[in-house]
Amino acid sequence: MTPNDPVLIDRLLSVPARWAVVGLSTNTARAAHGVAAYLQALGHTIVPVHPRAETVHGEKGYARLADVPGQVDVVDLFVNSSRVGPLIDEAIEIGARAVWLQLGVRDPEAEERARAAGLDVVVDTCPKIEGGRRGL
């Protein structure tokens, strides 16, 4: 396993970007809900991606990554590891610049496909935890 690059994490968290948060719903008990609010507080734009396409934190939701209009900078995956491969392939197809796999979310083969396609990859950690370590 390649360790996460701290410079990459710093850049992803500190440079305002558009984050597609896959698995984000209106369920406030889910980690994605709090992390998305945190990303907004850092100045990022969030785009909820969930089969129900719900509006979350004032942002219109979409059922699939392919449905999201405009540029997506980071695809943040709050899904079971078994779903990561196809989602990373979609992230590549839509021209995302990075993928962030949340705590416990791994798919080494898909992660390598993302790197080979030129995407930045962060795995098995959380933006809110990483931001807290950096005082953000």
Side-chain angles (χ1 to χ4, degrees):
M1 177 176 123
T2 305
N4 291 317
D5 178 355
V7 174
L8 169 61
I9 291 173
D10 290 344
R11 180 173 47 84
L12 290 177
L13 293 177
S14 62
V15 176
R18 190 165 186 236
W19 289 59
V21 184
V22 180
L24 176 57
S25 71
T26 57
N27 183 345
T28 59
R30 303 290 298 190
H33 199 271
V35 170
Y38 174 77
L39 291 168
Q40 281 184 315
L42 290 180
H44 300 290
T45 301
I46 59 116
V47 179
V49 178
H50 190 279
R52 289 192 299 270
E54 300 169 310
T55 296
V56 185
H57 299 307
E59 298 292 341
K60 178 179 174 15
Y62 297 89
R64 302 175 318 124
L65 281 171
D67 297 336
V68 177
Q71 177 65 43
V72 170
D73 300 305
V74 182
V75 175
D76 190 3
L77 298 174
F78 279 92
V79 297
N80 186 288
S81 293
S82 65
R83 295 188 53 219
V84 167
L87 290 167
I88 283 183
D89 293 339
E90 276 190 69
I92 293 166
E93 287 175 27
I94 67 167
R97 296 182 176 126
V99 290
W100 189 302
L101 287 70
Q102 288 294 324
L103 288 168
V105 179
R106 293 299 312 267
D107 183 332
E109 290 179 11
E111 294 160 27
E112 281 307 311
R113 286 197 306 275
R115 287 184 188 97
L119 278 70
D120 291 323
V121 178
V122 176
V123 298
D124 196 24
T125 192
C126 172
K128 191 171 181 181
I129 291 170
E130 293 296 334
R133 289 180 181 149
R134 291 160 171 76
L136 301 177

